[in-house]
Structures are given as structure tokens and as C-alpha cells.
């Protein structure tokens, strides 16, 4: 294992992410405008009531919906659509974060708004998107999983995250508790990593297939690192290393092409786990399915100090282990390096997103010349097959 090479990647990606954060569009939502002063969230008033809920609670409800929706081929388009729909619904007194039931009571209006804004944004953005991604405008679709049915998208992807605080408010027994019910529920978990797992899998409140692992971790990143909505004094379970990187296809593509993943395991091991699916990608290329990397173990000998720090993080920050282990999960490998460098998980993730979306596009001719990590990228400098033969 070339730990210096891996550290250089982590350092460069985090440095780029630190200066190019991709914040959720909270301040663009009309209903939240007054939570900001000069574009900065007024954190002193997070516990002030705004109608029936505190500002903190409303932001959490918004971020949960945003995390579920924040994926697909054109995130800017998704975000514009989401903000426009929320603004439209609020202008009609359908206050989906204050009164989640409104979304379902007025489902005809909710569905109309989704169709209207999706089609409008498709008209404006699809041609440029197709040019950039070597695709065709008619493939532009902001509903997830290439779904084309609006009711399915509305109920499954909007309705489920909106229903979580609704169910919690029914269960919490009292108006006063309703004002903070989602925040109270989330902060019960010992770490943001355990919280993010429960977003998906909790027996009563879990969202199941409506939310992906990546979205759960994205939510944790926003709650812990971006807005600091849940903080516990002296509790590293809610600190900067308390959640996994929200690996998505952009992250997978960049980390494969740059040579990071192949320093951690051989290609044959990735094939065994279906992370690399031979000839299943576009134009006969190999498909990278980074979500299958979860729980995969590093196959190369790892320096002792990295193993030690890794164990400290799993036990004390992620709170996902009680005993030390020699096995390191690839998904968490960067955590000890980040901690040593005093870089953050959120910066590493922001860097991967920014590079994946702006330079390392999902075709055979990414913008390597201008890419901020091209000096250490093995795909660019020594093995072009890492670029030409793989897609996400
Ligand atoms: S140099 Fe090229 S292949 Fe390497 S990460 Fe940047 S855009 Fe991707």
C-alpha cells in the first residue's frame, strides 16, 4: 500500500472541497429567508419558534427531504425544482414542513406543482445537460431511478421524508414536544452514523428504500458539519468524524480513476463484490457500482498507525464497534488520514462532488487538463484505461 499516495489524494481532494462546498439551498427557500442575516444562518435563534416548530426543527425537516431528493444526473436542476415547488406550495398555504399533513391533503396541488416545475426546468436545462454529458435532451429526468410516474415520485420520494416528522409529532404526545420532535428523535442516537443507519432501517420510523445510504450520510454531513444542528458537548459521536462519507457515483468514479481504490484492493476483489461489473457500462465499458463497496475490507497491508487510529474512530466517533479489529472497511479508510491531516469528512466529500461534477464527467473524455488533482491522478498520468474503460 502506498500510504503517501493515498494521503496525497485525501489531502488534495479535501483542500479543494474546503474551498468549494456545495451547500443545500436552504436560504433560497422563501419560508426560510428570515432565518438568515447577510446570507449567514442566524444560529443564535435556531430555537426560536416559527409557527408551531422551532427553526432548528424546520431546517431538519427540510434537510431530510433535500437529502432524499439530492441525486440524479443534474443536481442543480433537482434543487431548483425542489425550491420552486416548496415556494409554490407555501404561497398556497400548503406549509409542508410546518404541517406535513398538508402535502397529502392537497396531493392534487402537490402533484400539479411537481409536473409543472419538472417540465419547465427540463425545457430550460436539458439541452446543455445533454451536451455536457454526451447524452440526448429527452433522457433528462429529475425523478429518481428514471421513474416517470409523478404520483409514485411524489409519495415515495417526497411523501416518505415528509411523513417522518408527522408520525413523530403524532407519537410525541403534546404540542410543546411537537415543536422539536424530529430533532429530539435524531439526537437520541449515540452517533450521527448510528442515526443515519436508523433513518433507513428503524422499525417504526425508518424510510427503507425511499432513502439510500448515500442520502442518509449526506443528511448527517449537513446536520453535523454544515449547520451544526445537533451538538453534544464533549461527544465525538456527533463530531466531524462521526459519519461515513456519502459515497455516490461521482465519488466512485473519481476515486477509481485517480487510482485510490486500486491501492486498497485488487480489481478482482472489486469484481467479486460486484463493485466492478464487467462490460455492464455504457458502450461496453465496465460499470462501477460504488454502493456495493459498503463493508468491503481493505485487501492490502495497512500501516500500524492507520489501523490504530481507524479503531479509535470506529469505537469513539462512529460508535459502530466495541472491540478493536485488524479489518478496515474501504468506505471508512480515509477517516484516519483525514484526522491526521486535520481535514474533515465533509471537505473530502465536497471535493469529490465538485471534481466529479465539474471535471471528471461520466464519459471517456473528462476535463483532466483543468482538474485540480491531475498531478496525482493515475488515470491521467500513467493508466488511461482507468478513464476510458470504466463508467458509473
Ligand atoms: S485528472 Fe481526469 S480522470 Fe483524474 S480525477 Fe481529474 S478529471 Fe478525473
Amino acid at each position: 500500500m502506498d500510504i503517501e499516495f493515498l494521503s496525497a489524494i485525501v489531502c488534495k481532494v479535501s483542500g479543494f472541497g474546503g474551498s468549494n462546498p456545495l451547500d443545500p439551498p436552504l436560504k433560497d427557500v422563501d419560508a426560510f429567508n428570515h432565518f438568515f442575516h447577510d446570507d449567514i444562518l442566524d444560529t443564535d435563534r435556531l430555537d426560536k419558534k416559527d409557527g408551531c416548530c422551532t427553526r432548528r426543527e424546520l431546517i431538519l425537516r427540510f434537510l431530510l427531504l433535500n437529502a432524499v431528493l439530492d441525486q440524479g444526473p443534474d443536481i442543480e436542476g433537482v434543487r431548483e425544482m425542489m425550491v420552486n415547488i416548496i415556494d409554490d406550495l407555501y404561497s398556497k398555504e400548503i406549509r409542508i414542513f410546518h404541517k406535513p399533513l398538508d402535502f397529502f391533503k392537497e396531493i392534487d396541488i402537490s402533484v400539479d406543482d411537481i409536473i409543472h416545475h419538472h417540465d419547465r426546468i427540463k425545457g430550460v436545462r436539458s439541452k446543455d445537460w445533454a451536451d455536457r454529458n454526451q447524452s440526448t435532451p429527452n433522457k433528462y429526468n429529475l425523478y429518481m431511478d428514471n421513474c416517470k410516474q409523478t404520483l409514485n415520485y411524489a409519495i415515495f420520494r417526497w411523501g416518505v421524508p415528509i411523513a417522518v416528522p408527522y408520525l413523530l409529532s403524532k407519537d410525541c404526545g403534546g404540542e410543546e414536544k411537537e415543536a422539536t420532535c424530529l430533532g429530539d428523535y435524531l439526537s437520541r442516537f449515540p452517533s450521527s452514523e448510528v442515526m443515519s443507519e436508523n433513518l433507513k432501517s428503524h422499525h417504526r420510523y425508518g424510510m427503507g428504500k425511499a432513502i439510500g445510504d448515500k442520502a442518509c450520510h449526506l443528511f448527517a454531513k449537513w446536520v453535523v458539519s454544515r449547520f451544526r444542528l445537533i451538538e453534544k458537548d464533549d461527544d465525538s459521536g456527533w463530531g466531524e468524524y462521526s459519519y461515513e462519507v456519502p459515497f455516490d457515483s461521482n465519488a466512485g468514479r473519481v476515486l477509481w480513476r485517480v487510482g485510490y481504490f486500486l491501492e486498497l484492493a485488487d480489481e478482482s476483489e472489486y469484481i467479486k463484490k460486484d463493485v466492478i461489473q464487467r462490460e455492464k457500462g455504457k458502450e461496453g465499458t465496465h460499470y462501477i457500482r460504488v454502493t456495493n463497496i459498503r463493508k468491503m475490507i481493505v485487501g492490502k497491508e495497512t500501516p500500524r498507525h492507520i489501523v490504530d487510529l481507524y479503531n479509535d474512530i470506529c469505537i469513539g466517533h462512529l460508535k459502530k464497534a466495541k472491540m478493536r479489529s485488524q479489518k478496515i472497511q474501504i468506505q471508512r479508510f480515509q477517516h484516519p488520514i483525514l484526522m491526521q491531516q486535520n481535514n474533515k469528512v465533509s471537505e473530502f466529500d465536497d471535493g469529490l462532488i465538485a471534481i466529479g461534477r465539474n471535471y471528471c464527467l461520466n464519459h471517456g473524455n473528462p476535463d483532466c487538463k483543468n482538474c485540480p488533482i491531475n498531478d496525482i491522478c493515475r488515470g491521467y498520468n500513467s493508466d488511461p484505461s482507468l478513464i476510458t474503460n470504466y463508467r458509473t
Side-chain angles (χ1 to χ4, degrees), residues 31-305:
F32 302 140
N33 274 341
H34 59 291
F35 295 3
F36 287 80
H37 269 314
D38 297 331
D39 274 0
I40 294 174
L41 183 66
D42 184 355
T43 48
D44 290 341
R45 295 183 180 208
L46 283 176
D47 294 317
K48 184 178 159 63
K49 281 274 207 75
D50 186 276
C52 56
C53 297
T54 63
R55 292 180 178 190
R56 186 189 307 273
E57 173 77 8
L58 293 169
I59 296 172
L60 284 167
R61 293 179 182 194
F62 166 80
L63 292 178
L64 188 57
L65 173 66
N66 193 171
V68 170
L69 300 180
D70 211 60
Q71 54 182 297
D74 180 23
I75 296 296
E76 278 177 41
V78 166
R79 290 179 166 199
E80 189 183 335
M81 178 178 78
M82 177 185 67
V83 169
N84 288 169
I85 292 168
I86 293 168
D87 285 351
D88 249 18
L89 293 175
Y90 265 78
S91 74
K92 294 165 189 157
E93 286 300 312
I94 303 169
R95 296 158 59 80
I96 60 174
F97 302 118
H98 294 76
K99 294 186 173 180
L101 193 55
D102 284 4
F103 181 83
F104 304 97
K105 269 195 197 155
E106 310 293 349
I107 189 69
D108 53 332
I109 299 175
S110 305
V111 165
D112 279 349
D113 270 358
I114 291 172
I115 293 173
H116 169 72
H117 287 293
H118 181 275
D119 292 354
R120 187 183 60 72
I121 287 165
K122 182 174 182 176
V124 174
R125 297 183 61 91
S126 60
K127 188 168 177 318
D128 275 1
W129 170 82
D131 289 347
R132 265 170 65 76
N133 291 281
Q134 299 184 354
S135 185
T136 52
N138 64 0
K139 291 208 172 128
Y140 188 91
N141 180 6
L142 298 178
Y143 297 174
M144 294 152 66
D145 308 320
N146 229 359
C147 146
K148 295 202 169 61
Q149 294 75 34
T150 308
L151 180 62
N152 174 68
Y153 173 66
I155 295 298
F156 190 47
R157 300 298 190 171
W158 284 69
V160 174
I162 288 172
V164 173
Y166 180 55
L167 178 57
L168 284 161
S169 72
K170 300 288 282 181
D171 287 353
C172 71
E175 245 175 56
E176 208 41 53
K177 289 187 179 156
E178 200 179 319
T180 56
C181 60
L182 179 59
D184 292 344
Y185 165 70
L186 298 173
S187 56
R188 264 192 247 153
F189 295 105
S191 72
S192 68
E193 179 62 24
V194 178
M195 176 273 293
S196 76
E197 281 182 5
N198 277 277
L199 285 178
K200 190 174 179 61
S201 61
H202 191 277
H203 182 54
R204 183 166 177 82
Y205 301 109
M207 291 188 276
K209 289 187 176 164
I211 189 166
D213 289 321
K214 175 238 158 185
C216 293
H217 291 110
L218 185 62
F219 179 74
K221 177 178 98 168
W222 289 339
V223 169
V224 171
S225 301
R226 190 67 71 234
F227 296 108
R228 298 183 188 285
L229 295 171
I230 300 177
E231 285 180 299
K232 295 188 187 175
D233 290 345
D234 300 327
D235 191 345
S236 36
W238 287 86
E240 293 296 342
Y241 305 97
S242 66
Y243 56 91
E244 290 183 359
V245 177
F247 275 169
D248 68 355
S249 60
N250 287 303
R253 194 167 59 248
V254 173
L255 292 174
W256 184 264
R257 285 172 165 177
V258 78
Y260 178 92
F261 282 147
L262 284 172
E263 267 305 315
L264 300 178
D266 292 333
E267 183 166 10
S268 58
E269 294 172 65
Y270 290 106
I271 291 172
K272 239 187 268 165
K273 298 282 180 193
D274 261 357
V275 175
I276 296 296
Q277 301 178 7
R278 292 187 70 79
E279 297 177 13
K280 295 266 175 66
K282 278 184 201 160
E283 297 150 10
T285 55
H286 309 315
Y287 179 55
I288 307 168
R289 187 165 178 82
V290 75
T291 47
N292 288 352
I293 223 163
R294 287 189 71 72
K295 307 243 161 78
M296 205 177 145
I297 301 299
V298 171
K300 306 274 177 83
E301 197 176 329
T302 308
R304 185 75 250 160
H305 68 284

Side-chain angles (χ1 to χ4, degrees), residues 253-254 257-258 355 359-361 366-369 371-375 377-380 387:
R253 194 167 59 248
V254 173
R257 285 172 165 177
V258 78
I355 293 166
Y359 305 96
C360 201
L361 299 174
D367 187 7
C368 297
K369 271 199 180 137
C371 175
I373 56 171
N374 61 10
D375 57 328
C377 176
R378 287 187 178 158
Y380 182 55
I387 301 173

